[in-house]
Amino acid sequence: MKSLLLHAPRARRRAWLSRVVMAGAGMLALTLPALASAADANTVHIDNFTFSPATLTVHAGTRVKWTNRDDEPHTVTSSGNPRAFASGALDTDGSFAFTFDKPGTYPYYCAIHPHMTGVIVVK
């Protein structure tokens, strides 16, 4: 009986720690999707010969990232003159990022497949 009393505080401590860990895991599970969607909010995916979203609106100072999910190379090339940005060829899973510091409308296209177009609107 004496040994049960000696281990009771340790058992309570383990049970308490277990509850703390479970609560922390639950909070993390709720937070991760929000963090992922925040990061994804400034991402343009290149998939099936399209930019998605085709139009993305961001605040000045935002870094936008394009990721090529196609099996074909693509570029992200500013339509402006002079060009604000140009990625060069992006292979599958290749990415390119550009920070938009000034408000304006920035149309772009794929120089390899000119029918692919998109627009970044900076406010």
Side-chain angles (χ1 to χ4, degrees), residues 9-20:
R10 186 179 301 166
R12 280 194 297 263
R13 185 172 39 243
R14 270 192 236 138
W16 179 81
L17 283 173
S18 176
R19 287 191 296 274
V20 168

Side-chain angles (χ1 to χ4, degrees), residues 20-84:
V20 168
V21 167
M22 292 302 290
M27 291 172 65
L28 186 59
L30 292 173
T31 304
L32 284 178
L35 291 175
S37 79
D40 219 28
N42 299 324
T43 300
V44 177
H45 297 288
I46 305 168
D47 200 3
N48 199 23
F49 291 83
T50 60
F51 294 106
S52 180
T55 301
L56 178 65
T57 302
V58 298
H59 294 289
T62 299
R63 180 178 181 260
V64 175
K65 181 179 177 183
W66 290 263
T67 301
N68 183 9
R69 293 182 171 174
D70 270 344
D71 291 334
E72 298 290 325
H74 295 290
T75 72
V76 179
T77 307
S78 168
S79 299
N81 189 9
R83 284 199 167 95

